[in-house]
């Protein structure tokens, strides 16, 4: 397998380097970049994010990366959204109701229902919906991953949900739409299961023709 080139979109929000370094650790040539040409030529693209939905989208658009992100997701190449990067792929969010998401996963990011402590800031066990999902392969029998969030994605098509967790109620934690995969948790902070997920992404990118 070739060492795939993976573009990690650099729009100045949060600790983007942690995702890049974790992907490098798992065998990728991972570049933190805002270069549309590099993004267009990459084997795979990652959109990380921390903070608020609207602020992250404003930052992405402010550095001219909305179109490259859309074109990458629509190109058929592997595309991974992480945490608020995942939320940005949805149509809209209750956190910032006037902000338009990228609409790559049709649906709404909604507040976690009242009951448990908000935000969820803990390790939690993934319940994998589709055992055949390649991004969730080899994570182990009870994969615990690390969450920090107050909202979760609710796609219009429930078949796009790839994994859930229990937190007072069932919370959606991972999503698949064609070549786009997205997770609410932080794989780069999730020890062996999270690094395995990133390894799976690297493998998918490296095995493209």
């Amino acid at each position: 397998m070739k060492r795939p080139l993976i573009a990690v979109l650099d729009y100045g929000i949060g600790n983007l380097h942690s995702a890049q370094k974790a992907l490098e650790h798992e065998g990728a040539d991972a570049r933190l970049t805002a270069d549309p040409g590099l993004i267009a030529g990459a084997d795979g693209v990652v959109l990380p994010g921390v903070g608020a939905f609207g602020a992250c989208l404003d930052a992405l658009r402010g550095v001219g990366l909305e179109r490259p992100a859309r074109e990458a997701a629509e190109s058929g190449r592997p595309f991974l959204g992480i945490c608020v990067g995942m939320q940005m792929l949805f149509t809209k969010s209750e956190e910032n109701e006037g902000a338009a998401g990228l609409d790559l996963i049709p649906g709404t990011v909604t507040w976690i229902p009242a009951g448990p402590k908000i935000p969820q800031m803990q390790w939690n066990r993934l319940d994998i919906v589709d055992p055949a999902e390649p991004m969730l392969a080899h994570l182990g029998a009870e994969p615990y991953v690390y969450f920090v969030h107050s909202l979760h994605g609710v796609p219009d098509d429930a078949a796009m949900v790839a994994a859930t967790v229990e937190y007072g109620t069932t919370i959606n934690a991972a999503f698949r739409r064609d070549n786009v995969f997205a997770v609410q948790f932080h794989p780069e902070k999730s020890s062996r299961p999270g690094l395995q997920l990133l390894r799976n992404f690297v493998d998918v990118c490296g095995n493209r023709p």
Side-chain angles (χ1 to χ4, degrees), residues 38 43-44 55 121 130 186:
L38 191 152
D43 296 300
M121 189 180 300
D130 180 6
H186 286 275

Side-chain angles (χ1 to χ4, degrees), residues 65-208:
L65 284 182
E66 179 176 14
R67 174 180 279 184
R70 286 184 180 278
E71 289 176 348
E74 292 166 356
S75 71
R77 288 174 290 152
F79 190 103
L80 175 62
I82 296 174
C83 195
V84 176
M86 174 226 90
Q87 295 180 11
M88 293 161 69
L89 301 179
F90 278 75
T91 310
K92 58 185 178 179
S93 173
E94 291 180 351
E95 183 179 25
N96 301 108
E97 294 190 357
L102 299 178
D103 200 27
L104 295 168
I105 300 177
T108 304
V109 179
T110 68
W111 294 102
I112 295 174
K117 183 179 179 181
I118 305 299
Q120 176 181 204
M121 189 180 300
Q122 65 171 16
W123 294 80
N124 205 338
R125 181 176 60 83
L126 281 182
D127 293 316
I128 296 173
V129 175
D130 180 6
E133 168 54 56
M135 287 292 294
L136 300 175
H138 313 301
L139 267 59
E142 293 191 335
Y144 277 80
V145 293
Y146 189 68
F147 290 85
V148 181
H149 68 127
S150 300
L151 302 98
H152 75 128
V154 181
D156 292 345
D157 182 356
M160 292 182 184
V161 176
T164 63
V165 294
E166 294 302 315
Y167 193 65
T169 186
T170 300
I171 300 294
N172 297 327
F175 309 87
R176 162 73 72 182
R177 184 190 183 196
D178 301 326
N179 57 302
V180 175
F181 191 80
V183 296
Q184 177 61 69
F185 54 90
H186 286 275
E188 75 280 7
K189 298 179 180 178
S190 295
S191 189
R192 195 203 68 79
L195 292 178
Q196 179 63 57
L197 186 149
L198 294 178
R199 160 59 67 178
N200 292 341
F201 185 71
V202 171
D203 288 347
V204 169
C205 294
N207 287 323
R208 293 184 67 246

